[in-house]
Amino acid sequence: MTYLFVGAGQAGGAIVDAIFEYTDDSMLGLFESTDISTLGRPLVFNSTMRDLQNLSNVPAEDQYGVAEQHGLIQGTEPGFEEMVTGGFGRNPADADEVMDEHTAELQSILDERFGSGGFDLGIEEDEDSEASSPDPRSSDSIQFAFLFLGLGGGTGCGIGPHLAREIKQFTDGDTKIVAVAVLPNTRSTEESEEENGTNAGRQAWNARYGLNRLEEEVDGIVLVDNQRISYLDSAGGEFGEYNEYVAAAVHDLVAGPMLSSVDASDVDGVDTPDIDVRDIMTSLSFGVGSGESTPGYGAIGRSVTMTKSLTGYLLPFVGNRDIDSAALSRLSASKQTLARADVGDAQKAISLIRAPSANLSAGPNSVETGTVKEYLERSCQLNEVNLGVALSDRNLASVTTLLTYRREDLDRLDEIEQAAEAYEEETEELLI
């Protein structure tokens, strides 16, 4: 089974790059459980060379430039830097048009990388086994894909829906896709207009354009809202930390249960209910199993606390800290990545508790899983909550929560819709 992490445009590529910080190489082998490269593969598509050069954890062979004259160019191609020169000037319609002309190239890329045994996680298989010769277009080729993109600019917003559509076509519709979409800050200020070369209305129009097209291609949408950090004076410099926060939350929820270095079967008295990506897909969709499934809109949040004091790091049997499970639950929900979202409007939730085994067994220093689940059940309209537990070899306890809403219940998306309509009216007046 292969997970695919696809970045489209500047924001999408940056988050994928942050996710692949969690490897043995980048973490110096300190924590076995962090190596996400054993689970999936990154691919990044961008039209701006500078953004691709800023990637630290996605190798050149997994980078593709998008150019109007040259189509899709792999990062190892001679002359790559000269061919990927431009960007789309925050115009997603132009990016959409260019990508539409090169969908055959995208199918060839997927076939080369993932078809006919092209994907290799380094796991040796018996030559005579069926697993050594998978059907390149079976659901085992790319079972789940996560598409990361920004909605305020041109490239990610324009090419993202194409990437989702072509991945599904490559696997005959078997792949389930979650889009992690970054909303622009649509608070209009003179400074932001001067810096970005556009206005908040245009970015809102782009966001609406991108979301409407994404809904037709993906199974669920997780929103990451730049307006959540817009109040900071140094907001421009905070994007890296924000990307890391999103990457940590996605990594924990998607990969945490699978990559834990502690075997739950070796720990007595610890109940570790499982969640997996299928559960995430179910939580992010409405009407699953009815034949009329529609994508929901999610926001993700993560809270972390130390399980030991500094003394406890030096002396193993002292310094254990009490854990306030109710506070962890509330903080995880309050830190969700969407402005103006009311937790009480959420329809569903899925959450992962991750902690050392000593903090999951009964005792004063334990994480109370029942408290976490009860809080989420009280918050969600459908009372549909899925809770998982994963063991950690670090002295940290975390609660990562994904809350799912219907589009019509999100005031932030109404705000974007209104700003987009106002921009259209203003533009029409200017053209008269």
Side-chain angles (χ1 to χ4, degrees), residues 312-326:
Y313 279 88
L314 301 175
L315 302 173
F317 301 106
V318 298
N320 294 321
R321 301 178 62 179
D322 291 341
I323 296 176
D324 189 337
S325 302

Side-chain angles (χ1 to χ4, degrees), residues 259-320:
L259 299 182
S260 175
S261 62
V262 181
D263 187 350
S265 64
D266 293 337
V267 182
D268 294 332
V270 177
D271 181 20
T272 58
D274 292 330
I275 60 170
D276 58 23
V277 181
R278 294 176 183 84
D279 297 318
I280 296 173
M281 295 293 177
T282 300
S283 186
L284 264 176
S285 304
F286 294 105
V288 175
S290 67
E292 297 181 358
S293 177
T294 58
Y297 283 80
I300 197 167
R302 184 171 184 261
S303 59
V304 183
T305 188
M306 296 175 61
T307 60
K308 286 182 176 293
S309 65
L310 180 59
T311 305
Y313 279 88
L314 301 175
L315 302 173
F317 301 106
V318 298
N320 294 321

Side-chain angles (χ1 to χ4, degrees), residues 319-335:
N320 294 321
R321 301 178 62 179
D322 291 341
I323 296 176
D324 189 337
S325 302
L328 274 178
S329 305
R330 292 192 301 269
L331 185 58
S332 178
S334 68
K335 291 175 65 178

Side-chain angles (χ1 to χ4, degrees), residues 355-424:
S357 58
N359 299 100
L360 292 173
S361 55
N365 306 118
S366 66
V367 181
E368 298 171 355
T369 58
T371 298
V372 177
K373 188 171 185 180
E374 182 182 353
Y375 170 78
L376 293 173
E377 287 177 339
R378 289 199 311 266
S379 302
C380 294
Q381 299 289 322
L382 296 180
N383 201 30
E384 185 176 329
V385 173
N386 205 339
L387 183 67
V389 175
L391 299 177
S392 174
D393 53 5
R394 305 180 67 181
N395 292 318
L396 297 173
S398 65
V399 175
T400 304
T401 301
L402 179 65
L403 298 167
T404 301
Y405 303 82
R406 298 187 189 276
R407 180 167 178 169
E408 58 268 25
D409 292 330
L410 292 173
D411 292 342
R412 178 72 172 106
L413 295 187
D414 288 340
E415 176 185 280
I416 288 174
E417 179 75 30
Q418 293 171 15
E421 290 177 357
Y423 174 77
E424 284 182 342

Side-chain angles (χ1 to χ4, degrees), residues 86-113:
F88 292 99
R90 295 191 178 273
N91 190 337
D94 285 350
D96 171 52
E97 184 177 344
V98 169
M99 199 65 173
D100 191 50
E101 295 174 357
H102 297 284
T103 53
E105 294 175 38
L106 184 54
Q107 285 294 315
S108 297
I109 290 170
L110 294 171
D111 190 53
E112 178 184 347
R113 308 307 291 275

